[in-house]
């Protein structure tokens, strides 16, 4: 009896991955690469998946933004999108929403993590570093700290 994982075709494997969540073209290609056998054409498969609407970098980007915007700042989200090579497919409306909501999102993240004003400059610096590591801009961090001071 053959192993079930080995008998799946590349197309079936791709559809199984996509049924669980959205993937970028680059990410799905990387996942499928180790299963490519002689005679398989992964580029043609990815093109077919895109043409049929199963694979969409735009849908993936919107999904990633929705998942990350409650926890991370714009620069971190943009970097993750660049890593997936989907920044050019990102709709302008999604970026505008990110830009307009960054201060409110930073306030929410700060509130969940700290909830109280910094007692001294050392604590203030620690809180600011935390927000910076989450990808919020320095201007946004200043606005959050001024509102919480």
């Amino acid at each position: 009896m053959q192993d079930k994982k080995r008998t799946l075709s590349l197309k079936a494997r791709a559809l199984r991955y996509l049924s669980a969540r959205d993937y970028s073209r680059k990410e799905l290609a990387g996942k499928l690469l180790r299963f490519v056998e002689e005679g398989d054409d992964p580029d043609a498969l990815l093109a077919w998946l895109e043409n049929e609407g199963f694979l969409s970098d735009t849908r993936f980007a919107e999904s990633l933004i929705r998942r990350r915007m409650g926890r991370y700042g714009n620069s971190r989200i943009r970097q993750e999108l660049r890593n997936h090579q989907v920044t050019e497919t990102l709709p302008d409306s999604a970026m505008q929403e990110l830009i307009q909501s960054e201060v409110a999102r930073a306030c929410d993240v700060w509130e969940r993590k700290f909830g109280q004003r910094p007692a001294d400059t050392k604590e203030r610096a620690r809180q600011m570093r935390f927000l910076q590591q989450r990808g919020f801009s320095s201007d946004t961090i200043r606005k959050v700290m001024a509102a919480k001071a």
Side-chain angles (χ1 to χ4, degrees), residues 61-128:
E62 291 170 346
S63 172
L64 186 133
I65 288 170
R66 279 192 306 276
R67 286 192 318 252
R68 301 289 193 251
M69 71 187 300
R71 296 176 47 195
Y72 299 111
N74 295 352
S75 63
R76 177 117 175 226
I77 293 171
R78 279 191 197 114
Q79 181 58 43
E80 195 166 341
L81 290 168
R82 273 193 296 275
N83 290 345
H84 287 283
Q85 297 175 347
V86 294
T87 51
E88 65 279 350
T89 63
L90 188 63
D92 291 335
S93 61
M95 282 312 296
Q96 285 301 329
E97 182 182 347
L98 274 178
I99 291 167
Q100 292 171 353
S101 68
E102 187 174 40
V103 174
R105 290 183 292 118
C107 284
D108 289 343
V109 169
W110 180 89
E111 191 68 41
R112 281 195 307 268
K113 176 70 175 177
F114 302 106
Q116 59 185 353
R117 291 186 219 174
D120 56 9
T121 56
K122 185 177 177 183
E123 177 64 18
R124 179 180 168 87
R126 185 175 81 83
Q127 291 181 8
M128 291 174 76

